[in-house]
Amino acid sequence: MTTIADRARELTASREPFVQATVVRAQEPTSARPGDAAVIRADGSIEGFVGGVCAESSVRAAALDALRDGDALLLRVLPDGAAPFPEAPGARVVVNPCHSGGAVEVFLRPMLPAPALRLVGGTPIAAAVATLAAFLDFDVVTSDDHAGCTAVVVAGLGRGEQDAIRAALDAGVGFVALVASHKRGAVVLDELGLTDAERARVHSPAGLDIGARTPQEIALSIMSEVVRAIRVDGLSPSSGAPAARPQQAVDPVCGMTVLVGPETPHVRIDGQDVWFCCAGCLARFTAA
């Protein structure tokens, strides 16, 4: 039987981002117990157990926020009418009106893979990028396989550039940097005949404009642009594709935020879907 720890190791080995959730406190009546655990993937799916459907819904929504921010979080799930709990840095309080009456605290730890950077070219700039990327805790890929790379830096300076760019785009890499001048870079990309979507994934000239001149300075400008793409633009470290966030909705009965999925209870009214945290809220809504 596969345990949550086993599943976490599998996801880590496959470079898939996820959140490890562990119940650290439970106050009866609640179905969860301290030590209960689960993993929540980037699509909002959950494997394991951290409480009933209402608590689970809050955990899944908070886990996606933790996955996006990269910060660990202590989630306090309290029943409706409970005494106010002071907010604190690194903690979040949610109230579940449909909760059984107990309280539960769940520690959410985002597990993000190290970004993978593939380098093409044997130039001094490529060597400087490799050194800086390793210092920044990137996985520097030395194989010819672009699959799963966060970014590819093409620094061949005229050697094998078009083939490398085409291979990276075909592998789904979301960030491809071409080390070239404005003029030469434009010629290289025009000859490739890229679609608008593909062209948006290629950055040429590579790097932020910091007036870089030496290979080390150019490497700094390139890695700054890669880090900005991850931290600011939402480039996924695991696959290089923009991180997709599941649709969310607010349950009109209990006010909970729910993640919309194939099994989420809902009803269609006047051409619009109304989503609920559980079948009970759906029944109350339709009865009213």
Side-chain angles (χ1 to χ4, degrees), residues 109-132:
R109 181 186 178 195
M111 307 295 289
L112 304 174
L117 184 76
R118 164 99 168 94
L119 285 163
V120 178
T123 61
I125 292 175
V129 171
T131 299
L132 182 55

Side-chain angles (χ1 to χ4, degrees), residues 71-119:
D71 297 328
L73 175 70
L74 179 63
L75 179 67
R76 296 184 172 106
V77 184
L78 305 180
D80 194 17
F85 206 106
E87 294 285 351
R92 178 188 299 181
V93 176
V94 296
V95 175
N96 283 342
C98 58
H99 200 269
S100 61
V104 64
E105 293 186 2
V106 184
F107 181 66
L108 304 174
R109 181 186 178 195
M111 307 295 289
L112 304 174
L117 184 76
R118 164 99 168 94
L119 285 163

Side-chain angles (χ1 to χ4, degrees), residues 249-258 274-278 281-282 285:
V250 176
D251 186 322
V253 175
C254 67
M256 284 181 52
T257 298
V258 298
V274 182
W275 304 90
F276 304 89
C277 71
C278 62
C281 282
L282 171 58
F285 181 83

Side-chain angles (χ1 to χ4, degrees), residues 126-258:
V129 171
T131 299
L132 182 55
F135 175 76
L136 295 173
D137 291 331
F138 278 65
D139 285 338
V140 180
V141 179
T142 57
S143 69
D144 293 333
D145 189 4
H146 295 80
C149 287
T150 307
V152 171
V153 176
V154 180
L157 299 183
R159 297 180 179 88
E161 293 172 327
Q162 292 188 348
D163 289 343
I165 293 171
R166 184 71 267 166
L169 292 174
D170 290 343
V173 178
F175 188 101
V176 182
L178 173 62
V179 179
S181 66
H182 282 282
K183 182 176 181 179
R184 193 174 71 81
V187 172
V188 170
L189 298 182
D190 286 344
E191 291 178 352
L192 278 169
L194 304 178
T195 66
D196 290 342
E198 290 175 334
R199 182 63 183 85
R201 291 154 57 193
V202 181
H203 300 256
S204 178
L208 301 179
D209 185 3
I210 59 174
R213 299 181 64 183
T214 67
Q216 292 78 11
E217 291 173 348
I218 295 171
L220 175 61
S221 72
I222 292 171
M223 290 309 301
S224 296
E225 188 176 24
V226 174
V227 170
R228 184 182 68 178
I230 294 172
R231 299 298 188 189
V232 178
D233 301 333
L235 187 71
S236 170
S238 59
S239 64
R245 186 176 177 85
Q247 179 187 349
Q248 295 187 353
V250 176
D251 186 322
V253 175
C254 67
M256 284 181 52
T257 298
V258 298

